[in-house]
Amino acid sequence: MIPPEAKPALAPKARLRFDRTSGGYLLLYPERGLALNATAANILKLCDGELTVDGIVEKLQGEYLDRSAEELRRDVLEFLEEMSRRGLVRVLE
Amino acid sequence: MSSAPRPYTLVAELTYACPLHCVYCSNPVDFTRHEDALDAADWRRVLREAERLGVVQVNFTGGEPLLRPDLEALVEEARSLDLYSNLITSGIPLARERLERLRRLGLDNVQVSIQDARPDESDRIAGREAFHRKIEVARWVKELGFPLTVNTVLHRENLERIGEVIALAEELHADRLELANAQYLGWALRNRTALLPTKAQLERARSVAAAARARLEGRMEVVFVVPDYYVEFPPACMDGWGRRFIVVSPDGLLLPCLLAHTLPGLSFGNVRERSVEELWSSSPGLAAFRGEAWMPEPCRSCARRAIDFGGCRCQAFHLTGNAAATDPACSLSPDHGLVEAARTEAARPARELVTFSFRTPRTSRDHSR
Ligand code: SF4
Ligand code: SF4
């Protein structure tokens, strides 16, 4: 479980890249790549190892007015946990 | 532009030269026929043109890419194009300063091959002393802040030590461990009797790898690749011919896979004469096995044809003499007996003395005759 005060960062092997062809973002890592939807890309762009999960949620709030902070935090945590299971996001305490 | 699919990865084979002599090397056995013909300007253009086509990753490989003194310029170009760059190396010859320079220039990932978890066994497969040096290089990789991939090719002689290989990769703090069984093409096909494991060996190793994958989830990615000889249906070789990967050989041929230029009768254009875009969309060699029109039965009417694309063309040719045959690794192939015979031979009970044919320029010239 990732605590809300944790500071997520992209794993050293992962890099975000804007993709002209699709107009979206790709997350690239050795021999692989993930095509991200807009929300996933917005979350990962904020994973700089400085912002906490709560900080990320706060920043996203402005763009996702239809979701409560609680819902948004749940979505962000769920996504970050999946990414950390895949070794693509590291959580700094 | 035609309707050619979008490529994602460029495999830049900078040279076939290599200080090692691995008995399963994936370079063509007649590699001495293919000289290094592209200079740094050519390679930089190849990178730019590939990126325009949609490529987002580049693997700098060989042979040994470190033998190219202009590797730095290529890494720099890849970085300026925002390509994810991966150096696939034996670790020899590498100085720490050079690795530092590559890091500064923006190289993203380093993959070091380690032939075995034990020094003597590793050096025996590599055909020279290299193990200790490789370990040192792998440590530098991590010390300099790179992500590290460890790649170990598995076969009859080292499958039993897969646990030791995993422990070594953990100790090196590898981010990714590729446990890739040899595929029996090129040099590995020459050495198949010595290398092909038994089914029991493979099953044991697979379960060790699966346990490690679960235990190391999130810390180290563990990839286990089975040899085509022990699958029911073949995997999608290179994700399909001319679909996702562009391979450029040291002499400039634009290929769909590492060994396509060993198939007779196919013509692949050269990037020195034509642009990557033009070759990707209209090279006759790429057109030959794209899509399904070329497929024989049983592939033609098989539901899996959109999943595996009929398997590996090189395997089909090197086992049956016909590149347009169903991959003999497939249990539905009329030539599957060839693979079954090899498995039967691998199941021979006692350990017999086997001899290897090492990959060297001399043995290559012998094989090219
Ligand atoms: S497999 Fe071995 S011999 Fe072949 S290129 Fe790689 S390190 Fe060199
Ligand atoms: S018959 Fe052809 S398409 Fe079907 S599984 Fe075998 S190789 Fe694949």
Side-chain angles (χ1 to χ4, degrees):
Chain A
M1 276 300 283
I2 302 178
E5 67 281 4
K7 297 175 176 169
L10 283 185
K13 69 175 177 183
R15 195 142 77 64
L16 269 177
R17 184 193 205 263
F18 180 70
D19 185 41
R20 283 193 311 278
T21 315
S22 63
Y25 276 84
L26 300 174
L27 187 65
L28 301 175
Y29 52 107
E31 311 286 339
R32 306 269 160 95
L34 277 181
L36 302 170
N37 65 28
T39 309
N42 284 338
I43 299 173
L44 289 179
K45 275 188 249 176
L46 295 170
C47 291
D48 58 4
E50 302 281 328
L51 280 172
T52 61
V53 173
D54 275 344
I56 292 173
V57 171
E58 205 174 299
K59 291 243 180 199
L60 287 173
Q61 199 81 76
E63 282 178 68
Y64 297 86
L65 295 169
D66 55 329
R67 318 202 41 89
S68 73
E70 219 18 74
E71 284 172 324
L72 205 51
R73 177 187 289 117
R74 210 186 46 230
D75 293 352
V76 168
L77 277 174
E78 208 172 279
F79 172 69
L80 289 178
E81 255 150 37
E82 169 62 23
M83 296 306 276
S84 111
R85 261 196 303 279
R86 292 186 188 211
L88 298 172
V89 161
R90 296 269 157 94
V91 180
L92 314 172
E93 300 298 325
Chain B
M1 272 281 300
S2 76
S3 57
R6 172 185 176 178
Y8 284 81
T9 301
L10 170 68
V11 179
E13 297 187 305
L14 302 184
T15 178
Y16 283 144
C18 185
L20 268 53
H21 313 291
C22 303
V23 295
Y24 43 64
C25 181
S26 56
N27 290 162
V29 284
D30 62 352
F31 70 89
T32 38
R33 284 190 193 179
H34 304 270
E35 298 284 313
D36 297 357
L38 304 188
D39 61 20
D42 292 324
W43 276 117
R44 293 171 75 155
R45 179 175 52 79
V46 166
L47 290 168
R48 288 194 297 274
E49 291 172 350
E51 197 274 344
R52 272 208 296 276
L53 264 181
V55 162
V56 291
Q57 293 224 9
V58 56
N59 289 346
F60 292 115
T61 178
E64 177 48 68
L66 292 170
L67 292 177
R68 295 274 309 214
D70 48 10
L71 177 64
E72 278 79 347
L74 311 186
V75 166
E76 204 172 5
E77 184 75 40
R79 178 74 246 196
S80 77
L81 293 164
D82 201 15
L83 294 173
Y84 190 98
S85 58
N86 189 7
L87 177 69
I88 298 182
T89 177
S90 69
I92 301 183
L94 188 52
R96 191 181 163 114
E97 302 73 61
R98 190 166 191 209
L99 196 57
E100 250 175 79
R101 198 154 64 231
L102 293 168
R103 172 93 181 140
R104 271 200 309 278
L105 292 171
L107 181 66
D108 285 296
N109 188 73
V110 180
Q111 170 174 326
V112 179
S113 64
I114 297 180
Q115 281 64 15
D116 200 308
R118 296 186 187 171
D120 292 349
E121 282 80 352
S122 184
D123 293 347
R124 176 170 130 78
I125 292 295
R128 63 167 274 174
E129 209 185 310
F131 180 81
H132 292 293
R133 190 69 201 189
K134 283 166 177 284
I135 300 299
E136 189 177 18
V137 167
R139 293 199 203 284
W140 294 340
V141 168
K142 289 300 290 192
E143 281 163 25
L144 293 172
F146 280 110
L148 168 70
T149 298
V150 168
N151 172 287
T152 299
V153 174
L154 301 174
H155 47 82
R156 193 177 181 91
E157 297 221 338
N158 68 359
L159 267 166
E160 316 288 349
R161 287 189 290 278
I162 188 172
E164 292 176 42
V165 173
I166 294 165
L168 177 62
E170 277 187 78
E171 195 221 309
L172 293 170
H173 303 287
D175 298 82
R176 174 178 162 95
L177 170 62
E178 293 180 354
L179 299 162
N181 273 276
Q183 299 297 351
Y184 294 92
L185 296 160
W187 293 93
L189 183 54
R190 304 276 157 155
N191 288 307
R192 190 176 70 187
T193 307
L195 294 174
L196 189 68
T198 67
K199 189 169 180 42
Q201 273 185 305
L202 200 62
E203 290 306 325
R204 277 195 301 275
R206 194 211 298 263
S207 66
V208 174
R213 184 181 315 122
R215 178 172 60 83
L216 296 165
E217 187 180 61
R219 272 188 291 149
M220 182 168 95
E221 185 187 356
V222 180
V223 184
F224 184 80
V225 183
V226 294
D228 293 357
Y229 277 52
Y230 285 99
V231 296
E232 194 180 354
F233 305 117
C237 188
M238 300 304 279
D239 276 342
W241 182 273
R243 277 183 83 244
R244 299 282 182 257
F245 287 86
I246 299 179
V247 178
V248 176
S249 67
D251 47 350
L253 298 173
L254 187 135
L255 305 170
C257 76
L258 306 183
L259 292 173
H261 46 338
T262 65
L263 305 181
L266 294 181
S267 93
F268 297 102
N270 197 297
V271 296
R272 281 186 299 163
E273 283 137 31
R274 296 214 159 48
S275 72
V276 172
E277 286 104 324
E278 193 184 340
L279 291 172
W280 180 251
S281 64
S282 57
S283 136
L286 288 189
F289 297 116
R290 257 191 192 138
E292 300 177 355
W294 63 272
M295 285 183 182
E297 290 297 351
C299 297
R300 183 180 287 272
S301 51
C302 176
R304 286 187 55 89
R305 69 184 186 282
I307 301 171
D308 63 39
F309 312 100
C312 173
R313 296 305 86 228
C314 302
Q315 192 145 265
F317 172 73
H318 288 288
L319 291 185
T320 74
N322 173 15
T326 293
D327 186 340
C330 178
S331 54
L332 305 173
S333 155
D335 302 306
H336 189 56
L338 296 167
V339 166
E340 285 175 321
R343 289 201 297 243
T344 306
E345 193 205 11
R348 66 189 184 272
R351 281 291 345 250
E352 296 150 25
L353 205 60
V354 287
T355 46
F356 287 138
S357 172
F358 287 98
R359 172 221 135 111
T360 67
R362 216 192 60 215
T363 47
S364 170
R365 278 187 290 270
D366 293 347
H367 287 312
S368 318
R369 288 221 193 95

